[in-house]
Amino acid sequence: MSLTFSKINASAATLTKNRTEGSVVPASGMCVTCVDGCIGMCEIGKSAYRGHEVIYPQPFGMVTAAAEKTYPVDYSHFNIMGTAVGAHGIEPDSDKAIFPAVNLEIAFGHDKGIKYRCPWHIPGIGSTNIAKNNWEGLAIGSALAGTGLTIGENVVGMDPEAVIKNGRVVDTADLKRRVKLYKDHQRDGYGAIIVQANVEDTRLGVQEYAIEKTRS
Ligand code: SF4
């Protein structure tokens, strides 16, 4: 038996459709008959006509997007059976096993110096407007919850107020704002604000700038 996990070459994320929706080649995601004169409704066709508009989910700056691929395994296939592998929770006493007694704290890092009140972390949300426009909620909420939040890639490179001298960043507006919003609401040292870096960030010295200039 062979399975394909490819999807058709069309998505609501890019506002694309196959012309022959009921007959699609699994390997390519293209219509079984790709016709001369099609105005380009699938991703391949639309890319040829509209170019860069198909790179990002649309409407740009207003949406977040998730993967549509059907993976052979997902989280619904797992059961957490903690006690079976030696994890024991609170005493099985109805007066003690109450909601306020739940403790989800974790500590990690080489010296266990990073503490979270809850074991989750929001991954990199970077230079897009969707991140910028919603940063107050993300930063303040994460900080108050004592969890982690990542500033994604290229925030400095996309900041029109960033000051760059000799190829290195010396001042920013957006990165400073993002870190400050988090730190102003952080309590008792729980949680962490992380700066993710790509090649451009590394060349600009964003990590060094973030550590030296936005910590206090
Ligand atoms: S360009 Fe070809 S594959 Fe794409 S929608 Fe048109 S006919 Fe189908």
Side-chain angles (χ1 to χ4, degrees), residues 17-19 30-31 33-35 38 40-42 45:
K17 280 185 174 198
N18 280 82
R19 185 182 55 82
M30 294 174 72
C31 302
T33 51
C34 181
V35 66
C38 175
M41 298 174 283
C42 72

